[in-house]
C-alpha cells in the first residue's frame, strides 16, 4: 500500500526576476513500512521534496498523494487536518516547546486532537518508554541532552499514530553517539510498529540505516536503491 505518491512534480521558486527550479519532474512512491533516505548535495531538492510530501508546500505542477488522497486539491485547512492526522515531523533543531516538560511536549499533539486525559496519559507514557526516556518525563528541554531532546521529538511525532514520519536532517545537531541512538530508536520503532519513515539527509551515519536510498541531484532522482525493500 502506498503511503505517499509523487507524480511528475515540479517546484519553482521565484525571487524577483530570478527563478530556481528546485524539482524538475519527480516521480516517487513510498510504500507502507519503508525506512527511506532522501540524499543528495545541498540544492539537490531533497528538502523541497520532503516538504511537499509533508503538505508544508504545494508543487508548481504535478500531484502529491498521501494515503491515496490528492493533496494538491485540498485547501490550506484541509492540508492542516491531513498533517495532524496522518503525518509526524522530526526537525533538525528539535522544535520542542522550551517551557514544557518532555511529557507535556509529547502530550501536546494529543491535546490538540482532543484525546481524553486517560488516553493521553497512557499514550505518552508508552511513547516515553519506547524512546528510553521514562525517567526524564518531567524534565524541560534545557535539562535534556541534544540526543534526549531529539528522542522526545520522535515520541511527539508518533503521538497521534501517524502513517508517515518525515525527518529533516534528524542527526545534524547531534554527536556520533547521540545520532546513533536516535537512528537505532527510529529503526526499532519502524520494525516494531510498521510506521513509515522518510528522512532527508547527507549524513553517512543516517544513510547506512536506510532500507532504501533515493538520490537527488539538480532536482531529479538519479538513483533509487533498495526500492520498496522491507
Amino acid at each position: 500500500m502506498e503511503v505517499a505518491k509523487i507524480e511528475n512534480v515540479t517546484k519553482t521558486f521565484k525571487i524577483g526576476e530570478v527563478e530556481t527550479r528546485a524539482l524538475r519532474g519527480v516521480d516517487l512512491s513510498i510504500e507502507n513500512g519503508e525506512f527511506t533516505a532522501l540524499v543528495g548535495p545541498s540544492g539537490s531538492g531533497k528538502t523541497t521534496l520532503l516538504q511537499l510530501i509533508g503538505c508544508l508546500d504545494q508543487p508548481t505542477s504535478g500531484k502529491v498523494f498521501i494515503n491515496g488522497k490528492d493533496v494538491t486539491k485540498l485547501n490550506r485547512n484541509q492540508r492542516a487536518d491531513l498533517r495532524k492526522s496522518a503525518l509526524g515531523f522530526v526537525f533538525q533543531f528539535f522544535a520542542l516547546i522550551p517551557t514544557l516538560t518532555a511529557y507535556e511536549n509529547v502530550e501536546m499533539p494529543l491535546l490538540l486532537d482532543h484525546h481524553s486525559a486517560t488516553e493521553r496519559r497512557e499514550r505518552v507514557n508508552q511513547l516515553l518508554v519506547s524512546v528510553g526516556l521514562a525517567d526524564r518525563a518531567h524534565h524541560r528541554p534545557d535539562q535534556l541532552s541534544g540526543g534526549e531532546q531529539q528522542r522526545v521529538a520522535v515520541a511527539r511525532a508518533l503521538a497521534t499514530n501517524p502513517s508517515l514520519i518525515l525527518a529533516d536532517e534528524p542527526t545534524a545537531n547531534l554527536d556520533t553517539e547521540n545520532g546513533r541512538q536516535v537512528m537505532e530508536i527510529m529503526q526499532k520503532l519502524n520494525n516494531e510498529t510498521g510506521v513509515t519513515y522518510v528522512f532527508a539527509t547527507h549524513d553517512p551515519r543516517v544513510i547506512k540505516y536506510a532500507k532504501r536510498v533515493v538520490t537527488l541531484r539538480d532536482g531529479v532522482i538519479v538513483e533509487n536503491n533498495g526500492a520498496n525493500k522491507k
Side-chain angles (χ1 to χ4, degrees):
M1 175 182 173
E2 290 173 336
V3 178
K5 187 176 183 181
I6 306 296
E7 288 187 350
N8 196 28
V9 158
T10 70
K11 181 64 180 180
T12 301
F13 296 99
K14 187 172 183 180
I15 302 176
E17 298 300 315
V18 178
E19 289 190 349
T20 301
R21 296 178 64 194
L23 295 174
R24 304 165 181 255
V26 170
D27 293 287
L28 180 67
S29 293
I30 303 293
E31 293 188 7
N32 186 50
E34 287 197 33
F35 200 70
T36 293
L38 304 178
V39 306
S42 178
S44 63
K46 60 184 183 296
T47 296
T48 299
L49 180 56
L50 197 75
Q51 290 174 337
L52 294 180
I53 296 172
C55 305
L56 297 171
D57 202 355
Q58 289 278 70
T60 302
S61 64
K63 294 182 178 182
V64 178
F65 296 88
I66 301 296
N67 292 331
K69 183 174 295 186
D70 184 356
V71 301
T72 60
K73 295 181 178 179
L74 303 181
N75 61 36
R76 181 176 297 181
N77 289 336
Q78 290 170 326
R79 293 198 303 274
D81 287 341
L82 182 63
R83 284 196 301 271
K84 185 171 68 172
S85 64
L87 304 172
F89 298 88
V90 179
F91 300 101
Q92 177 179 343
F93 295 103
F94 319 139
L96 301 178
I97 300 173
T99 56
L100 300 184
T101 64
Y103 182 100
E104 292 165 338
N105 268 283
V106 177
E107 183 185 36
M108 183 58 67
L110 298 169
L111 279 168
L112 296 174
D113 210 28
H114 307 295
H115 289 258
S116 71
T118 299
E119 289 174 329
R120 296 197 308 269
R121 183 171 59 254
E122 290 177 355
R123 182 64 176 158
V124 173
N125 287 331
Q126 174 194 35
L127 286 168
L128 288 174
V129 168
S130 73
V131 298
L133 291 177
D135 61 337
R136 308 290 277 170
H138 301 296
H139 290 68
R140 295 188 309 274
D142 64 356
Q143 298 170 313
L144 301 172
S145 71
E148 288 171 335
Q149 290 183 62
Q150 194 63 301
R151 284 149 63 188
V152 172
V154 170
R156 181 186 57 187
L158 288 163
T160 58
N161 284 309
S163 53
L164 176 60
I165 301 292
L166 302 170
D168 191 7
E169 300 285 2
T171 63
N173 287 322
L174 303 178
D175 61 27
T176 299
E177 177 59 22
N178 279 308
R180 180 190 65 78
Q181 290 179 5
V182 166
M183 290 309 302
E184 288 183 354
I185 284 171
M186 289 200 294
Q187 186 181 58
K188 171 177 172 285
L189 293 169
N190 168 256
N191 290 332
E192 290 179 354
T193 69
V195 67
T196 307
Y197 285 79
V198 177
F199 35 93
T201 187
H202 64 274
D203 187 344
R205 297 175 301 172
V206 175
I207 297 169
K208 73 177 184 180
Y209 286 97
K211 298 176 184 175
R212 178 184 181 190
V213 178
V214 178
T215 304
L216 290 97
R217 187 175 300 121
D218 298 326
V220 298
I221 293 174
V222 295
E223 200 167 357
N224 189 351
N225 292 327
N228 303 330
K229 177 183 175 183
K230 299 293 181 65

